[in-house]
Amino acid sequence: MSTQPDLLYSEEEEALRSAVRDLLTDHCDAPGVIARTESDAPHDLAAWKALADGMGLAGLLVPEELGGQGASHREVAVVLEELGRAVAPVPYLTSAVVATEALLACGDEELLGRLASGRTIGTLAVGLHVAPGAAFDAVRVEDGLLHGESTGIADAVAADVLLVPGDDGGLYAVEAAAVTVTPQVAFDLTRPLATVTLDGAAGRRVGDAEPAVRRALRAGAGLLASEQFGAAEWALTETVRYLKERKQFNRPVGGFQALKHRLAQLWLEVVNLRAAARGAADALATGEDADVLVAVAQAYAGPVAVRAAEEALQLHAGIGMTWEHPIHLCLKRAKADSIAFGTSGAHRETLAGLVDLQAP
């Protein structure tokens, strides 16, 4: 008999949230993130070093005996909520979650230790749009060398090592120096995408691609919901604060009934998103009903996060339309996240199959 998921935050999780938020306040203020998107260095590697090396957060999912923290997906979810709030340009989801989960499935202790320290950034060479359970591209393996191209690879420009699926069923660790990484135009400038080209690159087989990629994408999809919740909650909180201060006809704009209704509806959706995201994180941590709860979270998260950001932009009126205000960062992250690891429609179809609830 399955136990009820625990959706509440523990004292330790709240302490972790406070520490991460303080760090991001120092490192990832909105003007700094906006300036970074306009530069040739989209990733904030100083913030990554502080998170990964200083706080040890890159190794949360890695067992202590391998150099990690031996924590669970619940703690990772809290970190991602805060990264979502700040729209932090760090490769946490790609390296500390997706690449790490792939290696945990393979059991490659040496590379896991490197990723856990945060000094090595890893990424899985599977397009960010690929849903758990969907087909993914594999490169050609010939005489032990890898040939081919993968597109839509998130954070590849910052990676030190890439985990590349081969057509022989293997997953290969390839050093970044051995491949050509060509940046693509990404909607979300804080999580850049790239095309990775392998032209006879040497790779070390770390395990079987199929189970590793499935596990990695499921964890990525489930924990992405926490990032989406963080962004949505920030958008709602900022909008409420602004409408209390902004005056029209000598009264706060937030006092108008029509706006109260819009915010109340949005609050309900954001609270529901928190429950869905927490459910997915708890299921990944315990292993109970993980496929179902990840699909539930991703079926719901994308549209809510996008709506929260759109409402924030509209209700901030003129200032919300400017480049200087961080709402555009939040909206772009929410839109990009809504198709990352599969669309909400794809996850609804998956969910229908899992619970045997077919369309009429």
Side-chain angles (χ1 to χ4, degrees):
M1 188 175 124
S2 65
T3 55
Q4 291 296 316
D6 178 10
L7 305 185
L8 300 177
Y9 298 99
S10 68
E11 282 184 29
E12 292 80 7
E13 287 164 359
E14 289 293 4
L16 175 62
R17 175 195 309 288
S18 178
V20 174
R21 188 173 296 187
D22 287 348
L23 188 149
L24 292 174
T25 301
D26 292 340
H27 280 278
C28 288
D29 63 315
V33 176
I34 292 169
R36 199 165 281 287
T37 64
E38 299 171 312
S39 74
D40 294 331
H43 290 99
D44 189 339
L45 295 180
W48 168 252
K49 188 175 188 329
L51 284 163
D53 203 7
M55 294 181 70
L57 300 183
L60 284 180
L61 293 175
V62 179
E64 288 184 51
E65 60 268 22
L66 301 181
Q69 304 299 317
S72 78
H73 300 81
R74 292 173 59 93
E75 288 80 13
V76 173
V78 170
V79 174
L80 281 166
E81 285 179 22
E82 293 306 311
L83 295 177
R85 282 179 61 89
V87 196
V90 294
Y92 191 83
L93 183 69
T94 43
S95 184
V97 177
V98 178
T100 296
E101 284 276 354
L103 288 172
L104 284 167
C106 297
D108 189 282
E109 298 184 2
E110 185 267 335
L111 196 46
L112 267 173
R114 283 167 56 192
L115 259 59
S117 73
R119 295 185 183 93
T120 295
I121 296 171
T123 194
L124 181 67
V126 172
L128 186 61
H129 61 283
V130 177
F136 55 88
D137 292 334
V139 301
R140 193 172 86 255
V141 182
E142 202 172 279
D143 299 328
L145 300 177
L146 308 179
H147 305 262
E149 189 175 88
S150 301
T151 60
I153 310 304
D155 295 334
V157 290
D160 302 301
V161 63
L162 296 103
L163 302 176
V164 184
D167 61 2
D168 63 347
L171 186 68
Y172 291 85
V174 181
E175 296 298 321
V179 305
T180 303
V181 177
T182 310
Q184 292 176 251
V185 178
F187 188 62
D188 174 12
L189 299 172
T190 62
R191 182 172 282 148
L193 304 177
T195 297
V196 174
T197 306
L198 300 100
D199 187 11
R204 178 172 63 83
R205 184 173 174 135
V206 292
D208 295 333
E210 184 77 19
V213 171
R214 295 278 170 263
R215 174 172 172 169
L217 296 184
R218 184 178 76 167
L223 292 168
L224 178 70
S226 291
E227 177 182 290
Q228 290 166 299
F229 163 65
E233 188 185 45
W234 176 86
L236 174 62
T237 304
E238 280 299 299
T239 305
V240 170
R241 185 182 64 75
Y242 177 76
L243 294 182
K244 283 179 177 177
E245 294 173 357
R246 178 86 167 87
K247 289 198 170 147
Q248 202 172 53
F249 307 119
N250 210 29
R251 59 179 284 196
V253 175
F256 292 107
Q257 192 75 4
L259 298 192
K260 284 183 179 178
H261 284 180
R262 284 171 71 169
L263 289 170
Q265 178 61 37
L266 188 59
W267 181 83
L268 284 172
E269 292 179 21
V270 171
V271 168
N272 287 341
L273 172 52
R274 176 168 58 198
R278 292 296 292 166
D282 187 69
L284 286 167
T286 62
E288 289 202 25
D289 296 329
D291 289 337
V292 170
L293 286 165
V294 166
V296 167
Q298 273 309 316
Y300 190 74
V304 172
V306 170
R307 214 174 82 75
E310 288 176 343
E311 286 285 82
L313 189 141
Q314 286 187 21
L315 296 175
H316 273 77
I319 188 69
M321 292 288 185
T322 64
W323 185 257
E324 290 75 21
H325 200 286
I327 287 180
H328 67 92
L329 294 175
C330 184
L331 178 57
K332 289 168 188 167
R333 174 64 68 90
K335 288 290 280 185
D337 281 357
S338 70
I339 57 172
F341 303 112
T343 62
S344 58
H347 286 282
R348 280 195 293 272
E349 282 187 33
T350 299
L351 182 60
L354 288 169
V355 299
D356 198 25
L357 184 67
Q358 300 305 320

